[in-house]
Amino acid sequence: MASLNDVANELGISISLVSKVLNGRMGTTGARPELIEAIRRTAAEMNYQKNPAAVALSQGRHNAIGIFIHSFGRPGSGNVDALLHGVSSEARQKNQRFILDFFEREEEFLAFNDITNKSIMDGVLLGGLPHEELVEALLELKASSMPIVTIFDKQINPLLPNVSFDQVEMGRMATDHLIQQGSRKIAHIVDFEERCEGYCNALIQNDMPLNGKLVYREGGEDFSYARGRRAAQFFLDSKTSFDGVVAQSDEEAMGVMNVLLAAGVRIPDDVRIIGMDNAPYCDFAGVSLSSVSQNGVQRGRLALKMLMALIDGETVESVSIPPELFVRESTG
Amino acid sequence: MASLNDVANELGISISLVSKVLNGRMGTTGARPELIEAIRRTAAEMNYQKNPAAVALSQGRHNAIGIFIHSFGRPGSGNVDALLHGVSSEARQKNQRFILDFFEREEEFLAFNDITNKSIMDGVLLGGLPHEELVEALLELKASSMPIVTIFDKQINPLLPNVSFDQVEMGRMATDHLIQQGSRKIAHIVDFEERCEGYCNALIQNDMPLNGKLVYREGGEDFSYARGRRAAQFFLDSKTSFDGVVAQSDEEAMGVMNVLLAAGVRIPDDVRIIGMDNAPYCDFAGVSLSSVSQNGVQRGRLALKMLMALIDGETVESVSIPPELFVRESTG
DNA sequence: TTGAAAGCGCTAACAC
DNA sequence: GTGTTAGCGCTTTCAA
């Protein structure tokens, strides 16, 4: 691996000149065009590549960002995947290395502090399950002049810029879609209360009554297939007629779908179903599943952009990415 | 951020002594126990943390490895996810940073050479879709003394250690499972020829005839839901009775399942179905789907272990991880 | 038992 | 136009 020194020696000139020319940082001065040319050529011939560690040591800038993700979403939902792809593609474009850490257990995530390090990375992205209890540690980290952007569903502190998305709107959008398609008695499975709020809003905005018997609530968040099945059974048992179901995950929606199909209910003719997350498997459900997406790729990309702006000394504002509707057979 | 210098000044001693004590590298000599104690305490109090860039510059060792993945497997199959989690968990244990790059398009992957860099990372992991055309570039990289381990399904060059898995065995294992469960006329959807070979082997080993009408082959690899549907229709149209289907992906298997269920076929009573990849959604198919897994987590973990061994100057051999069977309702 | 000094490869202020 | 020099934070050899 050729160094600046090697190139300088080859040409019999000083290291600093080579550095200046190669970096295009001549300041007010200049250099002989033919020398410039020669330096460039020699460097290329010798296959010179900067040593990032040396640059980092000298400049304090690493061209690397850390990303810490506490896995979220059900396995297979594609949520983490999408975020990662968004960040990764943007990072490549901006020539940033991208240091990843996954966490499964909470303690691991809380230890993120040991890993973030101003002398490794220029900034930090934090995503996945939100951790309010991290606020203090994050503010401290920020105070030590480490740029931070979070990718939680909502901002956990006004000082920490975040790429959020609107849970309420997600519920509203899903419900409103069913209404637009013609559903009038829409059931809902509650995990996040905010999405339920969106569901209610949609009913209100469309002058439709809210029927408590059609809201299935177990408490806690779960989003599981099993919960979907239990909910469907609950709706059937309630003897309350319904013609739409808004689930809070695709997995839940699959549970609902399978129970209803088994009970002889036709989808979407008798009941329309919509899920959330737009998981890859929506396409190959028995009846392909409509869904509302969190737009993970876009959020990841935007988060990295914001982080780079912060690193460059600009100020950034939190933003919210709207959910997106994907229509398939189940709400046809 | 306190430096060695800061700690040394605080105690009025030399930098090198602090370094030696903190690293436990006293060589043949020693230091006063109480001084050692004082150094440790002061470092802790001052919240001293090594500057990795400086260590890297001085030692030429980065404690970071690069991982380059050309996405593979159908979205939602969880293949990439599993690999990444395996590598990540092992990396954390071994205190290695972990520099990620995803590739979607082939050109991007071929440019991996620009990114690998002895002065950023100590070794390289390459995984996902195998790229035989990379052999030359990889050997060159290796010759420049960069440790490399690949995570392709099979080794692409004898000089490049690889964590493979056995495609033939995957086909055999899936087919044999159906046979053990009682299936006698087993259909197969061909994407990879090797898996088909395994399918044939299983039939042969169990003294069962091979019926060409029950082998669906479109050419090329695809693994899609749509191919599964076409295959199922093909089997039905062939008027050849069958009581088992070995698909080469879970998505294909879902396609088969949905077509058969719609045609009134009972699963597993009339026909057993098994997929491959053990995708997360296997659990919430209409009838939960049995599958054979590539064991991505284990492979990722092992690959990192091998890479670390290489970095430490040991020699490693390629290994093959056996597939694993996950039984669910569809082959009950 | 402790410290001085060189060096890893690069940048940047300043001198010539 | 070009070169000298100090310095980023650490490790390591050698001397005291």
Side-chain angles (χ1 to χ4, degrees), chain A residues 52 57 81 85 92 97-98 100-102 104 119-120 225 284, chain B residues 52 57 81 85 92 97-98 100-102 104 119-120 225 284:
Chain A
L57 187 56
D81 232 59
H85 271 81
R92 173 129 26 84
R97 277 170 294 142
F98 164 11
L100 177 66
D101 246 298
F102 274 132
E104 295 301 328
S119 42
I120 301 181
Y225 180 72
F284 39 93
Chain B
L57 187 56
D81 231 59
H85 271 81
R92 174 130 24 87
R97 277 170 293 142
F98 164 11
L100 177 66
D101 246 300
F102 275 132
E104 295 302 327
S119 41
I120 301 181
Y225 181 73
F284 39 93

PDB file of all heavy atoms in Angstrom, chain A residues 52 57 81 85 92 97-98 100-102 104 119-120 225 284, chain B residues 52 57 81 85 92 97-98 100-102 104 119-120 225 284:
ATOM      1  N   PRO A  52      -7.280   5.916   5.839  1.00  0.00           N
ATOM      2  CA  PRO A  52      -8.353   6.580   6.580  1.00  0.00           C
ATOM      3  C   PRO A  52      -8.043   6.744   8.060  1.00  0.00           C
ATOM      4  O   PRO A  52      -8.478   7.713   8.680  1.00  0.00           O
ATOM      5  CB  PRO A  52      -9.549   5.665   6.380  1.00  0.00           C
ATOM      6  CG  PRO A  52      -9.224   4.844   5.187  1.00  0.00           C
ATOM      7  CD  PRO A  52      -7.735   4.694   5.192  1.00  0.00           C
ATOM      8  N   LEU A  57      -7.108  10.418  12.405  1.00  0.00           N
ATOM      9  CA  LEU A  57      -6.312  10.871  13.540  1.00  0.00           C
ATOM     10  C   LEU A  57      -5.958  12.346  13.385  1.00  0.00           C
ATOM     11  O   LEU A  57      -6.035  13.122  14.329  1.00  0.00           O
ATOM     12  CB  LEU A  57      -5.026  10.043  13.618  1.00  0.00           C
ATOM     13  CG  LEU A  57      -4.171  10.294  14.845  1.00  0.00           C
ATOM     14  CD1 LEU A  57      -4.992  10.066  16.099  1.00  0.00           C
ATOM     15  CD2 LEU A  57      -2.956   9.383  14.846  1.00  0.00           C
ATOM     16  N   ASP A  81     -35.019  -4.426   7.806  1.00  0.00           N
ATOM     17  CA  ASP A  81     -34.464  -4.517   6.470  1.00  0.00           C
ATOM     18  C   ASP A  81     -34.597  -3.226   5.689  1.00  0.00           C
ATOM     19  O   ASP A  81     -33.649  -2.733   5.088  1.00  0.00           O
ATOM     20  CB  ASP A  81     -35.265  -5.582   5.719  1.00  0.00           C
ATOM     21  CG  ASP A  81     -34.373  -6.603   5.099  1.00  0.00           C
ATOM     22  OD1 ASP A  81     -33.638  -7.234   5.872  1.00  0.00           O
ATOM     23  OD2 ASP A  81     -34.415  -6.736   3.857  1.00  0.00           O
ATOM     24  N   HIS A  85     -31.616  -0.755   4.454  1.00  0.00           N
ATOM     25  CA  HIS A  85     -31.366  -0.513   3.039  1.00  0.00           C
ATOM     26  C   HIS A  85     -31.388   0.972   2.723  1.00  0.00           C
ATOM     27  O   HIS A  85     -30.580   1.457   1.944  1.00  0.00           O
ATOM     28  CB  HIS A  85     -32.388  -1.256   2.183  1.00  0.00           C
ATOM     29  CG  HIS A  85     -31.960  -2.639   1.842  1.00  0.00           C
ATOM     30  ND1 HIS A  85     -32.106  -3.694   2.711  1.00  0.00           N
ATOM     31  CD2 HIS A  85     -31.347  -3.141   0.745  1.00  0.00           C
ATOM     32  CE1 HIS A  85     -31.618  -4.786   2.151  1.00  0.00           C
ATOM     33  NE2 HIS A  85     -31.157  -4.484   0.968  1.00  0.00           N
ATOM     34  N   ARG A  92     -23.681   4.945   0.970  1.00  0.00           N
ATOM     35  CA  ARG A  92     -22.772   4.673  -0.146  1.00  0.00           C
ATOM     36  C   ARG A  92     -22.627   5.915  -1.006  1.00  0.00           C
ATOM     37  O   ARG A  92     -21.534   6.318  -1.384  1.00  0.00           O
ATOM     38  CB  ARG A  92     -23.284   3.497  -0.959  1.00  0.00           C
ATOM     39  CG  ARG A  92     -22.487   3.254  -2.218  1.00  0.00           C
ATOM     40  CD  ARG A  92     -22.051   1.810  -2.357  1.00  0.00           C
ATOM     41  NE  ARG A  92     -22.953   0.924  -1.649  1.00  0.00           N
ATOM     42  CZ  ARG A  92     -24.081   0.452  -2.137  1.00  0.00           C
ATOM     43  NH1 ARG A  92     -24.435   0.772  -3.366  1.00  0.00           N
ATOM     44  NH2 ARG A  92     -24.835  -0.329  -1.437  1.00  0.00           N
ATOM     45  N   ARG A  97     -18.721   5.271   5.533  1.00  0.00           N
ATOM     46  CA  ARG A  97     -18.782   3.925   6.040  1.00  0.00           C
ATOM     47  C   ARG A  97     -19.870   3.867   7.082  1.00  0.00           C
ATOM     48  O   ARG A  97     -20.311   4.880   7.607  1.00  0.00           O
ATOM     49  CB  ARG A  97     -17.442   3.514   6.658  1.00  0.00           C
ATOM     50  CG  ARG A  97     -16.466   3.026   5.621  1.00  0.00           C
ATOM     51  CD  ARG A  97     -15.109   2.866   6.230  1.00  0.00           C
ATOM     52  NE  ARG A  97     -14.564   4.144   6.622  1.00  0.00           N
ATOM     53  CZ  ARG A  97     -13.856   4.350   7.719  1.00  0.00           C
ATOM     54  NH1 ARG A  97     -13.641   3.363   8.563  1.00  0.00           N
ATOM     55  NH2 ARG A  97     -13.361   5.540   7.972  1.00  0.00           N
ATOM     56  N   PHE A  98     -20.203   2.700   7.439  1.00  0.00           N
ATOM     57  CA  PHE A  98     -21.495   2.501   8.052  1.00  0.00           C
ATOM     58  C   PHE A  98     -21.311   1.335   9.024  1.00  0.00           C
ATOM     59  O   PHE A  98     -21.145   0.195   8.641  1.00  0.00           O
ATOM     60  CB  PHE A  98     -22.397   2.233   6.866  1.00  0.00           C
ATOM     61  CG  PHE A  98     -23.718   1.638   7.132  1.00  0.00           C
ATOM     62  CD1 PHE A  98     -24.230   1.530   8.394  1.00  0.00           C
ATOM     63  CD2 PHE A  98     -24.458   1.159   6.083  1.00  0.00           C
ATOM     64  CE1 PHE A  98     -25.466   0.966   8.592  1.00  0.00           C
ATOM     65  CE2 PHE A  98     -25.691   0.598   6.286  1.00  0.00           C
ATOM     66  CZ  PHE A  98     -26.187   0.511   7.526  1.00  0.00           C
ATOM     67  N   LEU A 100     -22.428  -0.972  11.902  1.00  0.00           N
ATOM     68  CA  LEU A 100     -23.739  -1.458  12.322  1.00  0.00           C
ATOM     69  C   LEU A 100     -23.683  -2.187  13.643  1.00  0.00           C
ATOM     70  O   LEU A 100     -22.730  -2.878  13.946  1.00  0.00           O
ATOM     71  CB  LEU A 100     -24.258  -2.423  11.255  1.00  0.00           C
ATOM     72  CG  LEU A 100     -25.585  -3.090  11.558  1.00  0.00           C
ATOM     73  CD1 LEU A 100     -26.693  -2.070  11.587  1.00  0.00           C
ATOM     74  CD2 LEU A 100     -25.863  -4.185  10.559  1.00  0.00           C
ATOM     75  N   ASP A 101     -24.704  -2.033  14.431  1.00  0.00           N
ATOM     76  CA  ASP A 101     -24.900  -2.915  15.570  1.00  0.00           C
ATOM     77  C   ASP A 101     -26.369  -3.214  15.741  1.00  0.00           C
ATOM     78  O   ASP A 101     -27.197  -2.314  15.782  1.00  0.00           O
ATOM     79  CB  ASP A 101     -24.325  -2.287  16.845  1.00  0.00           C
ATOM     80  CG  ASP A 101     -23.135  -3.087  17.349  1.00  0.00           C
ATOM     81  OD1 ASP A 101     -23.328  -4.262  17.683  1.00  0.00           O
ATOM     82  OD2 ASP A 101     -22.035  -2.528  17.393  1.00  0.00           O
ATOM     83  N   PHE A 102     -26.643  -4.487  15.822  1.00  0.00           N
ATOM     84  CA  PHE A 102     -27.995  -4.945  16.080  1.00  0.00           C
ATOM     85  C   PHE A 102     -28.148  -5.236  17.546  1.00  0.00           C
ATOM     86  O   PHE A 102     -27.207  -5.701  18.184  1.00  0.00           O
ATOM     87  CB  PHE A 102     -28.230  -6.286  15.405  1.00  0.00           C
ATOM     88  CG  PHE A 102     -28.647  -6.185  14.011  1.00  0.00           C
ATOM     89  CD1 PHE A 102     -28.019  -6.953  13.051  1.00  0.00           C
ATOM     90  CD2 PHE A 102     -29.657  -5.345  13.637  1.00  0.00           C
ATOM     91  CE1 PHE A 102     -28.403  -6.889  11.740  1.00  0.00           C
ATOM     92  CE2 PHE A 102     -30.048  -5.273  12.331  1.00  0.00           C
ATOM     93  CZ  PHE A 102     -29.425  -6.049  11.376  1.00  0.00           C
ATOM     94  N   GLU A 104     -30.828  -7.262  20.254  1.00  0.00           N
ATOM     95  CA  GLU A 104     -32.051  -8.012  20.468  1.00  0.00           C
ATOM     96  C   GLU A 104     -32.551  -7.720  21.867  1.00  0.00           C
ATOM     97  O   GLU A 104     -33.712  -7.435  22.085  1.00  0.00           O
ATOM     98  CB  GLU A 104     -31.801  -9.520  20.337  1.00  0.00           C
ATOM     99  CG  GLU A 104     -31.387  -9.947  18.947  1.00  0.00           C
ATOM    100  CD  GLU A 104     -32.422  -9.582  17.896  1.00  0.00           C
ATOM    101  OE1 GLU A 104     -33.627  -9.569  18.207  1.00  0.00           O
ATOM    102  OE2 GLU A 104     -32.025  -9.288  16.744  1.00  0.00           O
ATOM    103  N   SER A 119     -14.128   8.979  18.425  1.00  0.00           N
ATOM    104  CA  SER A 119     -12.920   8.685  17.658  1.00  0.00           C
ATOM    105  C   SER A 119     -13.082   7.461  16.766  1.00  0.00           C
ATOM    106  O   SER A 119     -12.114   6.837  16.372  1.00  0.00           O
ATOM    107  CB  SER A 119     -11.725   8.544  18.586  1.00  0.00           C
ATOM    108  OG  SER A 119     -12.055   7.831  19.734  1.00  0.00           O
ATOM    109  N   ILE A 120     -14.290   7.094  16.513  1.00  0.00           N
ATOM    110  CA  ILE A 120     -14.554   6.077  15.510  1.00  0.00           C
ATOM    111  C   ILE A 120     -15.496   6.627  14.463  1.00  0.00           C
ATOM    112  O   ILE A 120     -15.349   6.398  13.296  1.00  0.00           O
ATOM    113  CB  ILE A 120     -15.263   4.837  16.094  1.00  0.00           C
ATOM    114  CG1 ILE A 120     -14.448   4.194  17.189  1.00  0.00           C
ATOM    115  CG2 ILE A 120     -15.513   3.842  14.999  1.00  0.00           C
ATOM    116  CD1 ILE A 120     -15.128   2.963  17.746  1.00  0.00           C
ATOM    117  N   TYR A 225     -49.668 -13.162  14.840  1.00  0.00           N
ATOM    118  CA  TYR A 225     -50.596 -14.016  14.112  1.00  0.00           C
ATOM    119  C   TYR A 225     -51.664 -14.562  15.056  1.00  0.00           C
ATOM    120  O   TYR A 225     -52.859 -14.514  14.771  1.00  0.00           O
ATOM    121  CB  TYR A 225     -49.794 -15.158  13.495  1.00  0.00           C
ATOM    122  CG  TYR A 225     -50.584 -16.138  12.702  1.00  0.00           C
ATOM    123  CD1 TYR A 225     -51.104 -15.794  11.464  1.00  0.00           C
ATOM    124  CD2 TYR A 225     -50.803 -17.426  13.176  1.00  0.00           C
ATOM    125  CE1 TYR A 225     -51.831 -16.705  10.708  1.00  0.00           C
ATOM    126  CE2 TYR A 225     -51.529 -18.346  12.436  1.00  0.00           C
ATOM    127  CZ  TYR A 225     -52.037 -17.980  11.209  1.00  0.00           C
ATOM    128  OH  TYR A 225     -52.757 -18.889  10.482  1.00  0.00           O
ATOM    129  N   PHE A 284     -48.327 -12.883  -1.170  1.00  0.00           N
ATOM    130  CA  PHE A 284     -48.709 -14.284  -1.371  1.00  0.00           C
ATOM    131  C   PHE A 284     -49.502 -14.873  -0.228  1.00  0.00           C
ATOM    132  O   PHE A 284     -49.364 -16.038   0.102  1.00  0.00           O
ATOM    133  CB  PHE A 284     -47.515 -15.145  -1.750  1.00  0.00           C
ATOM    134  CG  PHE A 284     -46.252 -14.816  -1.027  1.00  0.00           C
ATOM    135  CD1 PHE A 284     -45.918 -15.479   0.135  1.00  0.00           C
ATOM    136  CD2 PHE A 284     -45.395 -13.861  -1.526  1.00  0.00           C
ATOM    137  CE1 PHE A 284     -44.752 -15.197   0.793  1.00  0.00           C
ATOM    138  CE2 PHE A 284     -44.212 -13.568  -0.868  1.00  0.00           C
ATOM    139  CZ  PHE A 284     -43.885 -14.231   0.298  1.00  0.00           C
TER     140      PHE A 284
ATOM    141  N   PRO B  52      -9.443   4.651  18.803  1.00  0.00           N
ATOM    142  CA  PRO B  52      -9.207   3.545  17.875  1.00  0.00           C
ATOM    143  C   PRO B  52      -8.428   3.957  16.638  1.00  0.00           C
ATOM    144  O   PRO B  52      -7.671   3.164  16.093  1.00  0.00           O
ATOM    145  CB  PRO B  52     -10.621   3.099  17.500  1.00  0.00           C
ATOM    146  CG  PRO B  52     -11.485   3.627  18.570  1.00  0.00           C
ATOM    147  CD  PRO B  52     -10.847   4.894  19.045  1.00  0.00           C
ATOM    148  N   LEU B  57      -3.598   3.345  13.533  1.00  0.00           N
ATOM    149  CA  LEU B  57      -2.461   3.927  12.833  1.00  0.00           C
ATOM    150  C   LEU B  57      -1.163   3.312  13.345  1.00  0.00           C
ATOM    151  O   LEU B  57      -0.267   2.965  12.576  1.00  0.00           O
ATOM    152  CB  LEU B  57      -2.433   5.442  13.050  1.00  0.00           C
ATOM    153  CG  LEU B  57      -1.387   6.180  12.244  1.00  0.00           C
ATOM    154  CD1 LEU B  57      -1.573   5.885  10.765  1.00  0.00           C
ATOM    155  CD2 LEU B  57      -1.483   7.675  12.502  1.00  0.00           C
ATOM    156  N   ASP B  81     -31.141 -11.257   6.550  1.00  0.00           N
ATOM    157  CA  ASP B  81     -31.345 -10.973   7.957  1.00  0.00           C
ATOM    158  C   ASP B  81     -30.605 -11.940   8.872  1.00  0.00           C
ATOM    159  O   ASP B  81     -29.908 -11.559   9.801  1.00  0.00           O
ATOM    160  CB  ASP B  81     -32.838 -11.130   8.245  1.00  0.00           C
ATOM    161  CG  ASP B  81     -33.382  -9.938   8.950  1.00  0.00           C
ATOM    162  OD1 ASP B  81     -33.268  -8.850   8.371  1.00  0.00           O
ATOM    163  OD2 ASP B  81     -33.887 -10.117  10.074  1.00  0.00           O
ATOM    164  N   HIS B  85     -27.484 -11.150  11.342  1.00  0.00           N
ATOM    165  CA  HIS B  85     -27.597 -11.325  12.786  1.00  0.00           C
ATOM    166  C   HIS B  85     -26.504 -12.244  13.313  1.00  0.00           C
ATOM    167  O   HIS B  85     -25.943 -12.003  14.366  1.00  0.00           O
ATOM    168  CB  HIS B  85     -28.986 -11.858  13.155  1.00  0.00           C
ATOM    169  CG  HIS B  85     -29.974 -10.772  13.392  1.00  0.00           C
ATOM    170  ND1 HIS B  85     -30.636 -10.126  12.366  1.00  0.00           N
ATOM    171  CD2 HIS B  85     -30.397 -10.184  14.530  1.00  0.00           C
ATOM    172  CE1 HIS B  85     -31.440  -9.201  12.876  1.00  0.00           C
ATOM    173  NE2 HIS B  85     -31.316  -9.218  14.184  1.00  0.00           N
ATOM    174  N   ARG B  92     -19.949  -8.620  18.003  1.00  0.00           N
ATOM    175  CA  ARG B  92     -20.054  -7.916  19.272  1.00  0.00           C
ATOM    176  C   ARG B  92     -19.249  -8.652  20.331  1.00  0.00           C
ATOM    177  O   ARG B  92     -18.478  -8.068  21.080  1.00  0.00           O
ATOM    178  CB  ARG B  92     -21.509  -7.794  19.689  1.00  0.00           C
ATOM    179  CG  ARG B  92     -21.686  -7.206  21.065  1.00  0.00           C
ATOM    180  CD  ARG B  92     -22.691  -6.065  21.102  1.00  0.00           C
ATOM    181  NE  ARG B  92     -23.633  -6.142  20.007  1.00  0.00           N
ATOM    182  CZ  ARG B  92     -24.754  -6.845  20.045  1.00  0.00           C
ATOM    183  NH1 ARG B  92     -25.083  -7.513  21.119  1.00  0.00           N
ATOM    184  NH2 ARG B  92     -25.551  -6.859  19.014  1.00  0.00           N
ATOM    185  N   ARG B  97     -15.766  -4.064  15.297  1.00  0.00           N
ATOM    186  CA  ARG B  97     -16.722  -3.247  14.574  1.00  0.00           C
ATOM    187  C   ARG B  97     -17.000  -3.923  13.250  1.00  0.00           C
ATOM    188  O   ARG B  97     -16.251  -4.767  12.781  1.00  0.00           O
ATOM    189  CB  ARG B  97     -16.184  -1.844  14.344  1.00  0.00           C
ATOM    190  CG  ARG B  97     -16.402  -0.947  15.532  1.00  0.00           C
ATOM    191  CD  ARG B  97     -15.659   0.335  15.353  1.00  0.00           C
ATOM    192  NE  ARG B  97     -14.224   0.093  15.384  1.00  0.00           N
ATOM    193  CZ  ARG B  97     -13.349   0.718  14.609  1.00  0.00           C
ATOM    194  NH1 ARG B  97     -13.759   1.603  13.725  1.00  0.00           N
ATOM    195  NH2 ARG B  97     -12.065   0.459  14.721  1.00  0.00           N
ATOM    196  N   PHE B  98     -18.009  -3.452  12.612  1.00  0.00           N
ATOM    197  CA  PHE B  98     -18.625  -4.275  11.614  1.00  0.00           C
ATOM    198  C   PHE B  98     -19.174  -3.305  10.566  1.00  0.00           C
ATOM    199  O   PHE B  98     -20.147  -2.603  10.791  1.00  0.00           O
ATOM    200  CB  PHE B  98     -19.660  -5.070  12.401  1.00  0.00           C
ATOM    201  CG  PHE B  98     -20.729  -5.749  11.655  1.00  0.00           C
ATOM    202  CD1 PHE B  98     -20.693  -5.881  10.294  1.00  0.00           C
ATOM    203  CD2 PHE B  98     -21.794  -6.254  12.343  1.00  0.00           C
ATOM    204  CE1 PHE B  98     -21.703  -6.523   9.647  1.00  0.00           C
ATOM    205  CE2 PHE B  98     -22.800  -6.894  11.691  1.00  0.00           C
ATOM    206  CZ  PHE B  98     -22.761  -7.033  10.344  1.00  0.00           C
ATOM    207  N   LEU B 100     -20.715  -2.420   7.131  1.00  0.00           N
ATOM    208  CA  LEU B 100     -21.636  -3.126   6.254  1.00  0.00           C
ATOM    209  C   LEU B 100     -21.776  -2.451   4.911  1.00  0.00           C
ATOM    210  O   LEU B 100     -21.758  -1.237   4.804  1.00  0.00           O
ATOM    211  CB  LEU B 100     -23.013  -3.176   6.920  1.00  0.00           C
ATOM    212  CG  LEU B 100     -24.119  -3.819   6.115  1.00  0.00           C
ATOM    213  CD1 LEU B 100     -23.853  -5.286   5.920  1.00  0.00           C
ATOM    214  CD2 LEU B 100     -25.451  -3.597   6.783  1.00  0.00           C
ATOM    215  N   ASP B 101     -21.921  -3.237   3.869  1.00  0.00           N
ATOM    216  CA  ASP B 101     -22.369  -2.700   2.597  1.00  0.00           C
ATOM    217  C   ASP B 101     -23.315  -3.676   1.936  1.00  0.00           C
ATOM    218  O   ASP B 101     -23.012  -4.852   1.797  1.00  0.00           O
ATOM    219  CB  ASP B 101     -21.171  -2.406   1.684  1.00  0.00           C
ATOM    220  CG  ASP B 101     -21.027  -0.925   1.435  1.00  0.00           C
ATOM    221  OD1 ASP B 101     -21.969  -0.344   0.887  1.00  0.00           O
ATOM    222  OD2 ASP B 101     -19.987  -0.357   1.792  1.00  0.00           O
ATOM    223  N   PHE B 102     -24.449  -3.157   1.569  1.00  0.00           N
ATOM    224  CA  PHE B 102     -25.428  -3.930   0.828  1.00  0.00           C
ATOM    225  C   PHE B 102     -25.285  -3.647  -0.647  1.00  0.00           C
ATOM    226  O   PHE B 102     -24.978  -2.524  -1.020  1.00  0.00           O
ATOM    227  CB  PHE B 102     -26.836  -3.461   1.173  1.00  0.00           C
ATOM    228  CG  PHE B 102     -27.389  -4.089   2.375  1.00  0.00           C
ATOM    229  CD1 PHE B 102     -27.982  -3.305   3.338  1.00  0.00           C
ATOM    230  CD2 PHE B 102     -27.364  -5.441   2.536  1.00  0.00           C
ATOM    231  CE1 PHE B 102     -28.525  -3.865   4.452  1.00  0.00           C
ATOM    232  CE2 PHE B 102     -27.910  -6.014   3.653  1.00  0.00           C
ATOM    233  CZ  PHE B 102     -28.490  -5.222   4.614  1.00  0.00           C
ATOM    234  N   GLU B 104     -27.434  -4.172  -4.345  1.00  0.00           N
ATOM    235  CA  GLU B 104     -28.590  -4.689  -5.047  1.00  0.00           C
ATOM    236  C   GLU B 104     -28.173  -5.027  -6.465  1.00  0.00           C
ATOM    237  O   GLU B 104     -28.461  -6.083  -6.977  1.00  0.00           O
ATOM    238  CB  GLU B 104     -29.714  -3.644  -5.081  1.00  0.00           C
ATOM    239  CG  GLU B 104     -30.283  -3.293  -3.733  1.00  0.00           C
ATOM    240  CD  GLU B 104     -30.842  -4.509  -2.996  1.00  0.00           C
ATOM    241  OE1 GLU B 104     -31.362  -5.424  -3.643  1.00  0.00           O
ATOM    242  OE2 GLU B 104     -30.733  -4.536  -1.745  1.00  0.00           O
ATOM    243  N   SER B 119      -6.423  -0.374   5.287  1.00  0.00           N
ATOM    244  CA  SER B 119      -6.273   0.609   6.349  1.00  0.00           C
ATOM    245  C   SER B 119      -7.612   1.040   6.927  1.00  0.00           C
ATOM    246  O   SER B 119      -7.743   2.095   7.526  1.00  0.00           O
ATOM    247  CB  SER B 119      -5.477   1.805   5.853  1.00  0.00           C
ATOM    248  OG  SER B 119      -5.850   2.164   4.572  1.00  0.00           O
ATOM    249  N   ILE B 120      -8.620   0.253   6.720  1.00  0.00           N
ATOM    250  CA  ILE B 120      -9.897   0.461   7.411  1.00  0.00           C
ATOM    251  C   ILE B 120     -10.258  -0.789   8.181  1.00  0.00           C
ATOM    252  O   ILE B 120     -10.731  -0.740   9.289  1.00  0.00           O
ATOM    253  CB  ILE B 120     -11.059   0.716   6.431  1.00  0.00           C
ATOM    254  CG1 ILE B 120     -10.808   1.919   5.564  1.00  0.00           C
ATOM    255  CG2 ILE B 120     -12.328   0.917   7.212  1.00  0.00           C
ATOM    256  CD1 ILE B 120     -11.962   2.183   4.633  1.00  0.00           C
ATOM    257  N   TYR B 225     -43.616 -16.955  -5.858  1.00  0.00           N
ATOM    258  CA  TYR B 225     -44.996 -17.342  -5.575  1.00  0.00           C
ATOM    259  C   TYR B 225     -45.706 -17.744  -6.861  1.00  0.00           C
ATOM    260  O   TYR B 225     -46.354 -18.785  -6.924  1.00  0.00           O
ATOM    261  CB  TYR B 225     -45.685 -16.140  -4.937  1.00  0.00           C
ATOM    262  CG  TYR B 225     -47.116 -16.355  -4.563  1.00  0.00           C
ATOM    263  CD1 TYR B 225     -47.460 -17.147  -3.486  1.00  0.00           C
ATOM    264  CD2 TYR B 225     -48.129 -15.742  -5.291  1.00  0.00           C
ATOM    265  CE1 TYR B 225     -48.786 -17.326  -3.130  1.00  0.00           C
ATOM    266  CE2 TYR B 225     -49.458 -15.908  -4.950  1.00  0.00           C
ATOM    267  CZ  TYR B 225     -49.784 -16.710  -3.869  1.00  0.00           C
ATOM    268  OH  TYR B 225     -51.089 -16.877  -3.515  1.00  0.00           O
ATOM    269  N   PHE B 284     -47.450 -18.548   9.686  1.00  0.00           N
ATOM    270  CA  PHE B 284     -48.827 -18.082   9.534  1.00  0.00           C
ATOM    271  C   PHE B 284     -49.377 -18.213   8.134  1.00  0.00           C
ATOM    272  O   PHE B 284     -50.138 -17.386   7.666  1.00  0.00           O
ATOM    273  CB  PHE B 284     -49.009 -16.667  10.094  1.00  0.00           C
ATOM    274  CG  PHE B 284     -47.880 -15.740   9.837  1.00  0.00           C
ATOM    275  CD1 PHE B 284     -47.888 -14.915   8.733  1.00  0.00           C
ATOM    276  CD2 PHE B 284     -46.824 -15.679  10.721  1.00  0.00           C
ATOM    277  CE1 PHE B 284     -46.862 -14.045   8.513  1.00  0.00           C
ATOM    278  CE2 PHE B 284     -45.785 -14.802  10.499  1.00  0.00           C
ATOM    279  CZ  PHE B 284     -45.802 -13.978   9.394  1.00  0.00           C
TER     280      PHE B 284
END
